[in-house]
Amino acid sequence: ILETSSYDHTYEFLLGLTDYWTFDNKLKDEITGLMLNGSAIFTSDRFGRQNMAISIRNNINYLNAPYGIYFSNMFTVTLWFK
C-alpha cells in the first residue's frame, strides 16, 4: 500500500522536486500534471482515510510512469508500505 503524505507544496520547485504523486484518490503528478497508469486500486491509508493510498497486489496490479519520466540521474523514492 502506497500512501499520501502531508507534504507542503509551497517549496517544491525550490527543492528541485520534479515529480510528486500524492495518491489521494488520483494518480496525477502534482507538479507536471502527468498521470500514472496501471491497475492499482485505491484503498484506506494507515490512518483509515479512504482512497488516500493505493494497493498493488500480486502480479496483477501495477503502475507505469508516463512517457518522459526517466531515472537516469540520481533520484529519491519515498513511500510507506505494508
Side-chain angles (χ1 to χ4, degrees), residues 1 3 7 9 14 16-17 19 33 44-46 58-59 62 69 71 79 82:
I1 296 176
E3 299 182 8
Y7 178 78
H9 295 277
L14 295 176
L17 197 59
D19 299 288
S44 298
D45 67 9
R46 68 186 188 276
N58 303 323
N59 294 330
Y62 65 93
I69 303 290
F71 300 107
L79 58 105
K82 178 179 176 182

Side-chain angles (χ1 to χ4, degrees), residues 27 37-42 55-57 59-64:
L27 297 175
N37 59 58
S39 64
I41 300 167
F42 283 99
S55 177
I56 301 175
R57 298 182 182 175
N59 294 330
I60 298 170
N61 302 117
Y62 65 93
L63 286 175
N64 286 327

Side-chain angles (χ1 to χ4, degrees), residues 4-17:
T4 187
S5 69
S6 58
Y7 178 78
D8 180 3
H9 295 277
T10 307
Y11 300 106
E12 60 198 6
F13 291 104
L14 295 176
L15 296 173
L17 197 59

Side-chain angles (χ1 to χ4, degrees), residues 9-59:
H9 295 277
T10 307
Y11 300 106
E12 60 198 6
F13 291 104
L14 295 176
L15 296 173
L17 197 59
T18 59
D19 299 288
Y20 179 67
W21 288 275
T22 60
F23 301 122
D24 56 348
N25 202 29
K26 61 187 174 196
L27 297 175
K28 180 181 173 185
D29 182 348
E30 296 294 324
I31 297 173
T32 67
L34 296 174
M35 300 288 289
L36 293 175
N37 59 58
S39 64
I41 300 167
F42 283 99
T43 188
S44 298
D45 67 9
R46 68 186 188 276
F47 303 113
R49 298 177 298 178
Q50 292 184 5
N51 297 320
M52 297 297 281
I54 57 171
S55 177
I56 301 175
R57 298 182 182 175
N58 303 323
N59 294 330

